[in-house]
Amino acid sequence: MAGRLSHVASQIMAGNGVVSRSGASSLRLRSGMGLPVGKHIVPDKPLPINDELVWDNGTPFPEPCIDRIADTVGKYEALGWLCGGLGFFATLGLMATLNDKASKIPYTPKVFPYDNLRVELGGEP
């Protein structure tokens, strides 16, 4: 019985089986869409200098990998924004630490009957 099952499995997975035919055709055609990023071109000559800095995915307009935001924000303006943001979060953390009620009362206050035992603990009747 096991021999027959392995024979059937080998027939299905072999070159003339249904699974291999459907798998091969779908991998070959990719439903007519092609590869995800265009054709893969194997370089046959040396690459140009700084070729790794250009994202060329097969479209007519390759993009630079580095954004060109460095010209619009100055060094000291970026430092000011960084210090302002870090200062805001440091102030927020300090206020949260100072206003931490759990550290001021580390236990749950007990509630007793008879007006919280006011008279029994020496209060005015």
Side-chain angles (χ1 to χ4, degrees), residues 23 27 56 70 80 102 106 112 115 125:
L27 291 175
D56 188 7
F112 295 105
D115 196 19

Side-chain angles (χ1 to χ4, degrees), residues 13 22 30 41 48 51 55 73 75 89 110 115 119 121:
M13 297 305 287
S22 65
R30 290 188 182 260
I41 300 169
D51 184 61
W55 174 255
V73 178
K75 177 171 49 172
F89 283 111
K110 292 185 179 182
D115 196 19
V119 177
L121 292 175

Side-chain angles (χ1 to χ4, degrees), residues 44-108:
D44 56 349
K45 58 186 176 205
L47 295 174
I49 297 174
N50 296 333
D51 184 61
E52 69 274 3
L53 299 178
V54 177
W55 174 255
D56 188 7
N57 59 353
T59 60
F61 307 106
E63 303 175 34
C65 292
I66 301 172
D67 291 332
R68 304 201 187 266
I69 196 170
D71 299 336
T72 60
V73 178
K75 177 171 49 172
Y76 295 110
E77 183 183 357
L79 180 64
W81 279 102
L82 177 68
C83 290
L86 291 177
F88 170 75
F89 283 111
T91 305
L92 182 67
L94 181 65
M95 290 296 128
T97 303
L98 293 176
N99 195 23
D100 188 17
K101 293 182 181 177
S103 66
K104 293 177 185 171
I105 305 173
Y107 55 87
T108 305

Side-chain angles (χ1 to χ4, degrees), residues 22-41:
S22 65
S25 67
S26 67
L27 291 175
R28 182 173 47 246
L29 298 177
R30 290 188 182 260
S31 302
M33 295 177 61
L35 293 174
V37 291
K39 296 178 90 175
H40 180 67
I41 300 169

